[in-house]
Amino acid sequence: MKKTLTWWDILWFGLGAVIGAGIFVLTGIEAQNDAGPAIVISYLFSGVSAMLAVMCYTEFAVEIPVAGGSFAYLRVEMGDFMAFIAAGNIILEYLVSGAAVARGWTSYFATLINRHPDDLRIIVPSLAENYNHLDPIAVVVLFVIGAGAIFSTKASSRFNYVASIIHVVIIIFVIIAGLSHSHASNLSDFAPYGPHGIFKASAILFFAFVGFDAVATMAEETKNPGRDIPIGLIGSMSIITVLYCAMAVTLCMMQSYKTIDANAPFSVAFEVIGMSWAKYIVALGALKGMTTVLLTAAVGQARYVTHMARTHLLPPCLATVNKHTKTPIAATVTMIVGISIVAFFTELAILSNLLSIATLFIFTLVAIALLIRRYYVAGETSVTDRNKLILFLIVIVLSSLGLAVGWAAHVNGWALYAITGGIWFLGTLGVQILLKKARAPKLWGAPLVPWLPSASIAINIFLLGSIDKASFIRFAVWTVILLVYYFLFGLHASYDTAMESAREENPIEKVVEEGVAAHGEESRTEFS
């Protein structure tokens, strides 16, 4: 693909990819149902988790600057199977997040024209609950966005950062105008649902930070990945976390968390305080944000699919890059159609929980892959050190899982958390003290390894423990579908591709396999 992007493009792609339906829709839902004003802590905790994941992603994006994102990273470090499982969940993440943002777009558009969101949807009572509010506007928006993503990556980037700048200006307006009409008394009942409510909201609000991984897929089109990717990704995530926390505090000070509107919380809040005119500015800002989120996601999604198709884990026709636009048209259209189907039927509440599971799972795998990358190199690392690394990784994951299960089960007291936290600490310390680093990053590396990726693993798994059972059942169904596809189709396609690649790299092996070597001296003459 053509290298056209700079750190400025990446920075605004990061802002455009992330700030959207999460902050403008889920803030109201989670403040009202789970966290109260303490939702600011929920956002801060999710932001820390996202920043740790950003650090891991950034090292991979710089060291392996290809379009495949985490699929490419995991394929290099953990093999085809784990890469495919992650890739399947990446596709799920994009299907769900794109659909959720598109439905959020409809909600704020309804606010802009003084209508209720359901007035713009087709309600079909005969369909199952949460799947019977059909959303044709979301589908139209997705197809328009898809056309933009197909036209040009650079043009998409220019539109994105212009729209994102306007969006950030509107967000600053929301914060200043909202705080000027705020009441500190609305924060008096700060954490009405307790710590479990705060972390439950944090797990769901992770949705609001999703999108930066799509930016990492643009490394292949970045002029100077070693400089541009770190500045763009880390800079955008830092700005986003600050803005999210400020907006959450503003909303909860404008009105009581008990009366926050679930569909368009910020627009309705301005109406409540007597600034009805401001709700149109807020709705317009939300629509701009969601549009750039959808655009950036459409660009990133297509690049994931393109890279998977290059490995034949998906049909190779999806890897085609159009010679005129230099964009993957087939992959873009395929993803837009899939997202449109999900967006047409499925409610936001279903989508947000499922998205958080898929995303946290992927981020955990990337953090594990970073530890493997730093401490294991095939053919160089001894068997003893390899086994130690496997043992320490198991200790880190299981201790994190124990912490999450204990929290989900509402275990009282600090004994369990102290024990599991101590085991996690010893596992990470073992990696640092007892293992020698096998590889150092050439251009840019995540700091504080092994502690940073290990902390990312622990926080991600901990947040998974706060998500409801029904979402895990849906996630399990999707995983079973992935496994069936992989063992029936993907495994064989990927194996055939690998063998073909090996024969091309080793002409002697290719000659032998074709049976030419059976002719003895004649085969050596032909090879020469």
Side-chain angles (χ1 to χ4, degrees), residues 199-253:
F199 289 112
K200 179 181 178 182
S202 186
I204 295 171
L205 291 172
F206 204 83
F207 171 96
F209 292 89
V210 170
F212 70 84
D213 47 333
V215 182
T217 66
M218 299 173 195
E220 186 175 321
E221 296 159 271
T222 303
K223 292 180 179 178
N224 186 351
R227 180 197 64 187
D228 297 338
I229 296 293
I231 293 174
L233 281 180
I234 297 172
S236 60
M237 187 55 63
S238 300
I239 294 170
I240 288 163
T241 302
V242 172
L243 290 178
Y244 278 4
C245 290
M247 288 186 73
V249 170
T250 300
L251 179 64
C252 291
M253 291 183 71

Side-chain angles (χ1 to χ4, degrees), residues 147-337:
I150 288 171
F151 178 70
S152 168
T153 302
K154 187 62 179 179
S156 297
S157 171
R158 287 173 181 153
F159 171 80
N160 172 74
Y161 68 66
V162 170
S164 295
I165 289 171
I166 296 172
H167 190 204
V168 170
V169 170
I170 292 175
I171 286 174
I172 293 172
F173 164 78
V174 169
I175 294 170
I176 294 174
L179 288 177
S180 68
H181 291 76
S182 63
H183 302 280
S185 59
N186 287 329
L187 301 180
S188 57
D189 190 9
F190 187 70
Y193 302 101
H196 279 88
I198 292 173
F199 289 112
K200 179 181 178 182
S202 186
I204 295 171
L205 291 172
F206 204 83
F207 171 96
F209 292 89
V210 170
F212 70 84
D213 47 333
V215 182
T217 66
M218 299 173 195
E220 186 175 321
E221 296 159 271
T222 303
K223 292 180 179 178
N224 186 351
R227 180 197 64 187
D228 297 338
I229 296 293
I231 293 174
L233 281 180
I234 297 172
S236 60
M237 187 55 63
S238 300
I239 294 170
I240 288 163
T241 302
V242 172
L243 290 178
Y244 278 4
C245 290
M247 288 186 73
V249 170
T250 300
L251 179 64
C252 291
M253 291 183 71
M254 288 173 70
Q255 64 180 131
S256 168
Y257 73 91
K258 298 175 183 177
T259 60
I260 291 175
D261 184 76
N263 288 305
F266 287 93
S267 290
V268 174
F270 275 102
E271 194 168 18
V272 168
I273 64 174
M275 294 179 64
S276 298
W277 59 270
K279 78 174 186 178
Y280 300 106
I281 297 177
V282 175
L284 185 61
L287 290 176
K288 282 182 176 293
M290 293 178 201
T291 301
T292 55
V293 165
L294 290 171
L295 176 62
T296 310
V299 173
Q301 291 156 8
R303 279 134 190 86
Y304 267 119
V305 172
T306 298
H307 193 82
M308 291 180 67
R310 287 172 177 173
T311 68
H312 290 207
L313 284 172
L314 289 177
C317 61
L318 297 178
T320 304
V321 176
N322 185 270
K323 64 180 181 179
H324 299 296
T325 65
K326 298 296 182 182
T327 58
I329 292 180
T332 304
V333 171
T334 300
M335 287 302 297
I336 289 295
V337 170

